[in-house]
Every structure is written in structure tokens, then in C-alpha cells.
Coordinates of all heavy atoms in Angstrom, one line a residue:
L1 N 19.8 28.5 -95.7 CA 20.6 27.4 -96.4 C 19.8 26.1 -96.4 O 19.8 25.3 -97.4 CB 22.0 27.2 -95.8 CG 23.0 28.3 -96.2 CD1 24.2 28.1 -95.3 CD2 23.4 28.1 -97.7
A2 N 19.2 25.8 -95.3 CA 18.5 24.5 -95.1 C 17.2 24.5 -96.0 O 16.8 23.5 -96.5 CB 18.1 24.3 -93.7
A3 N 16.6 25.7 -96.2 CA 15.4 25.8 -97.0 C 15.6 25.7 -98.5 O 14.7 25.5 -99.2 CB 14.7 27.1 -96.7
L4 N 16.9 25.8 -98.9 CA 17.1 25.7 -100.4 C 16.8 24.2 -100.8 O 17.1 23.3 -100.1 CB 18.6 25.9 -100.7 CG 19.1 27.3 -100.5 CD1 20.6 27.4 -100.7 CD2 18.4 28.3 -101.4
D5 N 16.0 24.1 -101.8 CA 15.6 22.8 -102.3 C 16.8 22.1 -102.9 O 17.5 22.6 -103.8 CB 14.6 23.0 -103.4 CG 13.9 21.7 -103.8 OD1 14.4 20.7 -103.4 OD2 12.9 21.8 -104.5
D6 N 17.1 20.9 -102.4 CA 18.3 20.1 -102.8 C 18.3 19.8 -104.3 O 19.3 19.6 -104.9 CB 18.4 18.8 -102.0 CG 18.9 19.1 -100.6 OD1 19.7 20.1 -100.4 OD2 18.6 18.3 -99.7
V7 N 17.1 19.7 -104.9 CA 17.0 19.3 -106.3 C 17.2 20.5 -107.1 O 17.9 20.5 -108.1 CB 15.6 18.6 -106.5 CG1 15.5 18.3 -108.0 CG2 15.5 17.4 -105.7
L8 N 16.5 21.6 -106.8 CA 16.5 22.8 -107.6 C 17.8 23.6 -107.4 O 18.4 24.1 -108.4 CB 15.3 23.7 -107.4 CG 14.0 23.0 -107.7 CD1 12.8 23.9 -107.3 CD2 13.9 22.6 -109.2
R9 N 18.2 23.9 -106.2 CA 19.3 24.8 -105.9 C 20.1 24.2 -104.8 O 20.0 24.7 -103.6 CB 18.8 26.2 -105.5 CG 18.0 26.8 -106.7 CD 17.9 28.3 -106.6 NE 19.2 28.9 -106.3 CZ 19.3 30.1 -105.8 NH1 18.2 30.8 -105.4 NH2 20.4 30.6 -105.5
P10 N 20.9 23.2 -105.0 CA 21.7 22.6 -103.9 C 22.8 23.5 -103.4 O 23.3 23.3 -102.3 CB 22.3 21.4 -104.6 CG 22.3 21.7 -106.0 CD 21.2 22.6 -106.3
I11 N 23.2 24.5 -104.2 CA 24.3 25.4 -103.7 C 23.9 26.8 -104.0 O 23.0 27.1 -104.8 CB 25.6 25.0 -104.5 CG1 25.4 24.9 -106.0 CG2 26.1 23.7 -104.0 CD1 26.6 24.6 -106.8
I12 N 24.6 27.7 -103.4 CA 24.3 29.2 -103.5 C 25.7 29.9 -103.4 O 26.5 29.5 -102.7 CB 23.3 29.7 -102.5 CG1 22.9 31.1 -102.8 CG2 23.8 29.6 -101.1 CD1 21.7 31.6 -102.1
S13 N 25.8 30.9 -104.2 CA 27.1 31.7 -104.1 C 27.1 32.5 -102.9 O 26.0 33.0 -102.4 CB 27.2 32.6 -105.4 OG 26.3 33.7 -105.3
P14 N 28.3 32.8 -102.3 CA 28.3 33.6 -101.1 C 27.7 35.0 -101.3 O 27.1 35.6 -100.5 CB 29.8 33.7 -100.8 CG 30.4 32.5 -101.4 CD 29.5 32.2 -102.6
Y15 N 27.9 35.6 -102.5 CA 27.4 36.9 -102.9 C 25.9 36.9 -102.8 O 25.3 37.7 -102.2 CB 27.9 37.3 -104.2 CG 27.2 38.6 -104.7 CD1 27.6 39.8 -104.2 CD2 26.1 38.6 -105.6 CE1 26.9 41.0 -104.6 CE2 25.5 39.7 -106.0 CZ 25.9 40.9 -105.5 OH 25.2 42.1 -105.8
E16 N 25.3 35.9 -103.4 CA 23.8 35.8 -103.4 C 23.3 35.6 -102.0 O 22.2 36.1 -101.6 CB 23.4 34.6 -104.3 CG 21.9 34.4 -104.4 CD 21.1 35.5 -105.0 OE1 21.7 36.4 -105.7 OE2 19.8 35.5 -104.9
L17 N 23.9 34.7 -101.2 CA 23.5 34.5 -99.8 C 23.6 35.8 -99.0 O 22.6 36.1 -98.3 CB 24.4 33.4 -99.2 CG 24.1 33.0 -97.8 CD1 22.7 32.4 -97.8 CD2 25.1 32.0 -97.3
R18 N 24.6 36.5 -99.1 CA 24.7 37.8 -98.4 C 23.7 38.8 -98.8 O 23.1 39.5 -98.0 CB 26.1 38.4 -98.5 CG 26.3 39.6 -97.7 CD 27.6 40.2 -97.7 NE 27.8 41.2 -96.7 CZ 27.2 42.4 -96.6 NH1 26.3 42.7 -97.5 NH2 27.5 43.2 -95.6
R19 N 23.3 38.8 -100.1 CA 22.3 39.7 -100.6 C 20.9 39.3 -100.0 O 20.2 40.2 -99.7 CB 22.3 39.6 -102.1 CG 21.4 40.7 -102.8 CD 21.3 40.5 -104.3 NE 20.6 39.4 -104.8 CZ 19.3 39.2 -104.7 NH1 18.5 40.2 -104.2 NH2 18.7 38.1 -105.2
R20 N 20.7 38.1 -99.9 CA 19.4 37.7 -99.4 C 19.2 37.8 -97.9 O 18.1 38.0 -97.4 CB 19.1 36.2 -99.7 CG 19.0 36.1 -101.2 CD 18.3 34.9 -101.6 NE 18.2 34.8 -103.1 CZ 17.4 34.1 -103.7 NH1 16.5 33.3 -103.1 NH2 17.3 34.1 -105.0
I21 N 20.3 37.7 -97.1 CA 20.2 37.9 -95.7 C 21.2 39.1 -95.4 O 22.4 38.9 -95.5 CB 20.7 36.7 -94.9 CG1 19.7 35.5 -95.2 CG2 20.7 36.9 -93.4 CD1 20.1 34.2 -94.7
E22 N 20.6 40.2 -95.0 CA 21.4 41.4 -94.8 C 22.2 41.4 -93.5 O 21.6 41.4 -92.4 CB 20.5 42.6 -94.8 CG 21.2 44.0 -94.9 CD 22.2 44.0 -96.0 OE1 21.9 43.7 -97.2 OE2 23.3 44.5 -95.8
F23 N 23.5 41.3 -93.7 CA 24.4 41.3 -92.5 C 24.9 42.8 -92.4 O 24.8 43.5 -93.4 CB 25.6 40.4 -92.8 CG 25.4 39.0 -92.2 CD1 24.5 38.1 -92.8 CD2 26.1 38.6 -91.0 CE1 24.4 36.9 -92.3 CE2 25.9 37.4 -90.5 CZ 25.0 36.5 -91.1
G24 N 25.3 43.1 -91.2 CA 25.8 44.5 -91.0 C 27.0 44.8 -91.9 O 26.9 45.7 -92.8
S25 N 28.1 44.1 -91.9 CA 29.2 44.4 -92.7 C 29.7 43.2 -93.4 O 29.3 42.0 -93.1 CB 30.4 44.9 -91.8 OG 30.8 43.9 -91.0
Q26 N 30.5 43.3 -94.4 CA 31.0 42.2 -95.2 C 31.9 41.4 -94.3 O 31.9 40.1 -94.4 CB 31.8 42.7 -96.4 CG 32.4 41.6 -97.3 CD 31.3 40.8 -98.0 OE1 30.3 41.4 -98.4 NE2 31.6 39.6 -98.2
G27 N 32.7 42.0 -93.4 CA 33.5 41.3 -92.5 C 32.7 40.4 -91.5 O 33.1 39.3 -91.2
S28 N 31.6 40.9 -91.1 CA 30.7 40.1 -90.2 C 30.2 38.9 -90.9 O 30.2 37.8 -90.4 CB 29.5 41.0 -89.7 OG 28.6 40.2 -89.1
F29 N 29.8 39.1 -92.2 CA 29.3 37.9 -93.0 C 30.4 36.9 -93.2 O 30.2 35.7 -93.0 CB 28.7 38.5 -94.3 CG 28.3 37.4 -95.2 CD1 27.1 36.7 -95.1 CD2 29.2 37.0 -96.3 CE1 26.8 35.7 -95.9 CE2 28.8 36.0 -97.2 CZ 27.6 35.4 -97.0
N30 N 31.6 37.4 -93.6 CA 32.7 36.5 -93.9 C 33.1 35.7 -92.7 O 33.4 34.5 -92.8 CB 33.9 37.3 -94.4 CG 33.7 37.8 -95.8 OD1 32.8 37.4 -96.5 ND2 34.5 38.8 -96.2
S31 N 33.1 36.4 -91.5 CA 33.5 35.6 -90.3 C 32.5 34.6 -89.9 O 32.9 33.5 -89.5 CB 33.8 36.6 -89.1 OG 32.6 37.2 -88.7
T32 N 31.2 34.9 -90.1 CA 30.2 33.9 -89.9 C 30.3 32.7 -90.8 O 30.2 31.5 -90.4 CB 28.8 34.5 -90.0 OG1 28.7 35.6 -89.1 CG2 27.7 33.5 -89.7
V33 N 30.5 32.9 -92.1 CA 30.7 31.9 -93.1 C 31.9 31.0 -92.7 O 31.9 29.8 -92.8 CB 30.8 32.4 -94.5 CG1 31.2 31.4 -95.5 CG2 29.4 33.0 -94.9
Y34 N 33.0 31.7 -92.3 CA 34.2 31.0 -92.0 C 34.0 30.1 -90.7 O 34.4 29.0 -90.6 CB 35.4 32.0 -91.7 CG 36.7 31.3 -91.3 CD1 37.4 30.6 -92.3 CD2 37.1 31.4 -90.0 CE1 38.6 30.0 -92.0 CE2 38.3 30.7 -89.7 CZ 39.0 30.0 -90.6 OH 40.2 29.4 -90.3
K35 N 33.3 30.7 -89.8 CA 32.9 29.9 -88.5 C 32.1 28.6 -88.9 O 32.4 27.6 -88.4 CB 32.1 30.8 -87.6 CG 31.7 30.1 -86.3 CD 31.1 31.1 -85.3 CE 29.8 31.6 -85.8 NZ 29.0 32.4 -84.9
F36 N 31.1 28.8 -89.8 CA 30.3 27.6 -90.2 C 31.2 26.6 -90.9 O 31.1 25.4 -90.7 CB 29.3 28.1 -91.2 CG 28.1 28.8 -90.6 CD1 28.1 29.2 -89.3 CD2 27.0 29.2 -91.4 CE1 27.0 29.9 -88.8 CE2 25.9 29.9 -90.9 CZ 25.9 30.2 -89.6
Y37 N 32.2 27.1 -91.7 CA 33.1 26.1 -92.4 C 34.0 25.4 -91.4 O 34.1 24.2 -91.5 CB 33.9 26.9 -93.4 CG 35.0 26.1 -94.1 CD1 34.7 25.2 -95.0 CD2 36.3 26.2 -93.7 CE1 35.6 24.4 -95.6 CE2 37.3 25.4 -94.3 CZ 37.0 24.5 -95.3 OH 37.9 23.7 -95.8
K38 N 34.5 26.1 -90.4 CA 35.4 25.4 -89.4 C 34.6 24.4 -88.6 O 35.2 23.4 -88.2 CB 36.0 26.5 -88.5 CG 37.1 27.3 -89.2 CD 38.2 26.5 -89.7 CE 39.4 26.5 -88.8 NZ 40.5 25.7 -89.3
R39 N 33.3 24.7 -88.3 CA 32.5 23.8 -87.6 C 32.0 22.6 -88.4 O 31.3 21.7 -87.9 CB 31.3 24.5 -86.9 CG 31.8 25.5 -85.9 CD 30.6 26.1 -85.2 NE 31.1 27.0 -84.2 CZ 30.3 27.9 -83.5 NH1 29.1 27.9 -83.8 NH2 30.8 28.6 -82.5
G40 N 32.2 22.6 -89.7 CA 31.7 21.6 -90.6 C 30.3 21.7 -91.0 O 29.7 20.7 -91.4
W41 N 29.7 22.9 -90.8 CA 28.3 23.1 -91.2 C 28.1 23.3 -92.6 O 27.0 23.1 -93.2 CB 27.7 24.2 -90.4 CG 27.7 24.0 -88.9 CD1 28.0 22.8 -88.2 CD2 27.3 24.9 -87.9 NE1 27.8 23.0 -86.9 CE2 27.5 24.3 -86.6 CE3 27.0 26.3 -87.9 CZ2 27.2 24.9 -85.4 CZ3 26.7 26.9 -86.7 CH2 26.8 26.2 -85.5
I42 N 29.1 23.9 -93.3 CA 29.0 24.1 -94.7 C 30.3 23.6 -95.4 O 31.3 23.4 -94.7 CB 28.8 25.6 -95.1 CG1 30.0 26.5 -94.6 CG2 27.5 26.2 -94.6 CD1 30.0 27.9 -95.0
K43 N 30.2 23.5 -96.7 CA 31.4 23.2 -97.5 C 31.3 24.0 -98.7 O 30.3 24.5 -99.1 CB 31.5 21.7 -97.8 CG 30.4 21.2 -98.7 CD 30.6 19.7 -99.0 CE 29.5 19.1 -99.8 NZ 29.6 17.7 -100.1
F44 N 32.5 24.3 -99.3 CA 32.6 25.1 -100.5 C 32.7 24.2 -101.7 O 33.4 23.2 -101.7 CB 33.8 26.0 -100.4 CG 33.7 27.1 -99.3 CD1 34.5 27.0 -98.2 CD2 32.8 28.1 -99.4 CE1 34.4 27.9 -97.2 CE2 32.7 29.1 -98.4 CZ 33.5 28.9 -97.3
V45 N 32.0 24.5 -102.8 CA 32.0 23.7 -104.0 C 32.4 24.7 -105.1 O 31.8 25.7 -105.3 CB 30.5 23.2 -104.2 CG1 30.5 22.4 -105.5 CG2 30.1 22.3 -103.1
N46 N 33.3 24.2 -105.9 CA 33.7 25.0 -107.1 C 33.0 24.4 -108.3 O 33.1 23.2 -108.5 CB 35.2 25.0 -107.3 CG 35.9 25.7 -106.2 OD1 35.5 26.8 -105.8 ND2 37.0 25.2 -105.7

């Protein structure tokens, strides 16, 4: 996420992110993303 160029690709979809970094299960990925959100490390943009 930090390596994404702020000018070219400031945001990424959760689907694309999971595809690029292979997590074991969808639940594992979702819980990690939720943990990041609760800690204030990421935000969701619509």
C-alpha cells in the first residue's frame, strides 16, 4: 500500500489488493483489512 504512487494510483480496490498479495483465506484477508481500519492505518474511499 505504501509503494503505490500517490499521483498515479492513490487508492486500490480490496479485490485487487488481495489478488496481488496472496492471503490464505478471504476471512484472513478481511480480518487484516478490518484490523488496519480500526487502528487508523487505512481508510475506505467510495
Side-chain angles (χ1 to χ4, degrees):
L1 282 169
L4 292 174
D5 189 348
D6 285 333
V7 176
L8 299 176
R9 297 199 50 201
I11 52 181
I12 189 168
S13 72
Y15 172 77
E16 177 68 14
L17 183 61
R18 185 177 192 294
R19 189 181 69 74
R20 294 201 179 197
I21 298 174
E22 190 53 45
F23 268 73
S25 67
Q26 182 67 34
S28 169
F29 174 77
N30 289 343
S31 69
T32 300
V33 169
Y34 181 73
K35 178 174 68 174
F36 286 5
Y37 174 74
K38 289 301 262 182
R39 291 182 178 173
W41 296 351
I42 61 172
K43 64 182 178 181
F44 296 107
V45 179
N46 292 320

